[in-house]
Amino acid sequence: MAVDTSARTPTFTYVDGEWFAGNPPLIGPVSHAMWLGSTVFDGARWFDGIAPDLDLHCQRVNRSAANMGMKATMEAEEIERLAWEGVAKFDGKTAIYIKPMYWAEHGQAGSVVAADPESTRFALCLFEAPMHTAKPSSLTVSPFRRPTPECAMTDAKTGSLYPNSGRMIIDARNRGFDNALVRDMNGNVVETASSNVFMVKDGVVFTPAANRTFLAGITRARVMGLLRQAGFEVREVTLSVEDFMNADEIFQTGNYSKVVPVTRLDDAQFQEGPVTRKALELYMDWAKSTAGTDG
């Protein structure tokens, strides 16, 4: 029986100068991206008439393309303009995920494994995706690790990194948890399988130091800055699983759901604490007062 390839929610994609509804067929079996994984993407959010840090997400996808050996064919400002054009195609009732993407169509002559930068293609996909902000989450320590920059393309937001995250989440859910707390090859905590992670101890906010084994996210940086402006001490340091087990609060940040409290880490129970609530409040207040809109 054929798999249904239609988009699961209302979706519009811009490619080659045109907008298409649904899930247009763009990558074929001989495309480099299909069999050799040359894809990068980024993700911004639109909700309540705003798209916080959309400009930074559009800039980052171009850096990811360059780091993957491809050519960024679109100016970040043009991607941002197109994103607002795409937002206008929806009814405005449901939050939207904004996903600019690059991939290579061909490999280089004489070494097909390496992407040919001249064959880089671009698409911008927007689809409805409800927010899950502040919905409590549970974590378990993953047996799987994040790779080092010497082992994988950790300096790009590339699809090739996500099967590792996928197996972390599958393992966690098989054990009754929502997500996984993830370590690097040295055994230090770096993030969850799908977001950045923070802990609070004695009123001080801690987050793993950016060591190029994980994506130090745009929302992570925004929350750090807002907490510091509000008078909190925020430290980027090397953290162990034991540090998180002994924390007063744990929360996650990410573009998809912004700020999410953690209420369980393996056998340890946590409350949604005051710093977590303040982080979400600060983020939403900033987003609604200063984040870009389409005017």
Side-chain angles (χ1 to χ4, degrees), residues 24-29 31 33-34 39 103 105 121:
L26 298 179
I27 297 176
S31 297
M34 176 72 173
T39 66
W103 71 97
E105 191 62 33
R121 298 186 67 193

Side-chain angles (χ1 to χ4, degrees), residues 48-157:
D48 297 337
I50 57 176
D53 285 325
L54 175 59
D55 56 340
L56 300 184
H57 288 283
C58 295
Q59 293 164 24
R60 189 172 63 182
V61 73
N62 281 0
R63 293 196 301 273
S64 290
N67 289 339
M68 280 284 285
M70 294 185 288
K71 179 183 290 187
T73 60
M74 299 283 288
E75 295 292 334
E77 294 79 6
E78 178 64 5
I79 300 173
E80 187 176 359
R81 185 193 68 77
L82 286 167
W84 284 113
E85 187 177 300
V87 165
K89 296 180 177 294
F90 294 82
D91 63 16
K93 298 178 181 178
T94 304
I96 298 168
Y97 192 81
I98 301 170
K99 183 173 61 174
M101 311 170 70
Y102 287 105
W103 71 97
E105 191 62 33
H106 304 297
Q108 292 186 15
S111 181
V112 70
V113 172
D116 178 2
E118 298 303 320
S119 73
T120 303
R121 298 186 67 193
F122 170 82
L124 174 62
C125 180
L126 291 80
F127 57 89
E128 287 188 355
M131 301 280 284
H132 297 293
T133 300
K135 181 181 179 182
S137 177
S138 60
L139 300 177
T140 183
V141 178
S142 179
F144 306 114
R145 304 289 182 95
R146 285 290 184 222
T148 65
E150 295 84 0
C151 300
M153 296 295 299
T154 59
D155 289 329
K157 189 172 173 66

Side-chain angles (χ1 to χ4, degrees), residues 198-204 206 242-251 262-263 269-276:
F198 290 75
M199 55 164 277
V200 182
K201 185 68 176 180
D202 298 327
V204 179
F206 298 87
E242 184 178 4
D243 290 327
F244 277 84
M245 289 293 189
N246 293 322
D248 298 324
E249 302 177 43
I250 301 174
F251 64 91
V262 173
T263 54
Q269 302 289 327
F270 298 88
Q271 296 296 318
E272 180 183 347
V275 179
T276 301

